[in-house]
Amino acid sequence: LGADVYRAGTAALAPREDGYGLGAQDLLDPALMAATPVTFLRYPLAWLIRAPQTAVSVVLGSVALSLIPDFASALISASVNDSDSNLFLAYLVGLAFSALELVFIVRLFLVALLDTRNEILAQNIRDACSRSAAVAASSGTEPNAVVAVLGMAHVNGVQKMLREKGAPSSTGVKKDT
C-alpha cells in the first residue's frame, strides 16, 4: 500500500524536469479549489446514473463494513463485564476496521481507477493519432492535431505512458508534448 501511495503521488504530483506536466503547486489553483465541492457531488452522481447497480453495491458494502465495528463491539460487551476494557476493545476493533477500509479504498482508487484509466486514456489518444495519420496519408495532407482533455490526476500518468511506449512519428504525436 505504501508503495502504491508513493508511486501514485509521485506520478500525479511530481515536478517535471522537462517543464511538462503538473506539480503539487497546481493543486492550489483558485479555479480548481472553487470547483472542488462541485466535483465531490458531480462524480458520485454521475457514477450513480451511469452504473446504478455498481454504485449501490459499493454504498451498501461500505455501510456493511461500517457496521462491523458496532457488531464486534456488541460481541465484546456481551463477553466482557468490565466497562473500561469494553470501551477500549470496542475502540481498537473500530480502529482496526477503519484502517482496513482505508487500505481497501486507497488501493482501489490508486491501482484500479487511476492506473487502469490512465492506460485506457493513453491507448485512446494513440488510436486517435493513428486514425488521424491514416486519414492524412490517404488524402495526402498533414495529420490533424489530436486534443485530449484530461483530469488533473491523469495528466502526468498519461503523459508518462505516451512517452514511455512512444508513438511512431507517423502518428503525428510529438515526443515533447
Side-chain angles (χ1 to χ4, degrees), residues 79-97:
S79 64
V80 177
N81 292 333
D82 184 13
S83 63
D84 287 338
S85 63
N86 179 17
L87 288 174
F88 182 71
L89 284 174
Y91 176 74
L92 285 179
V93 168
L95 191 62
F97 279 105

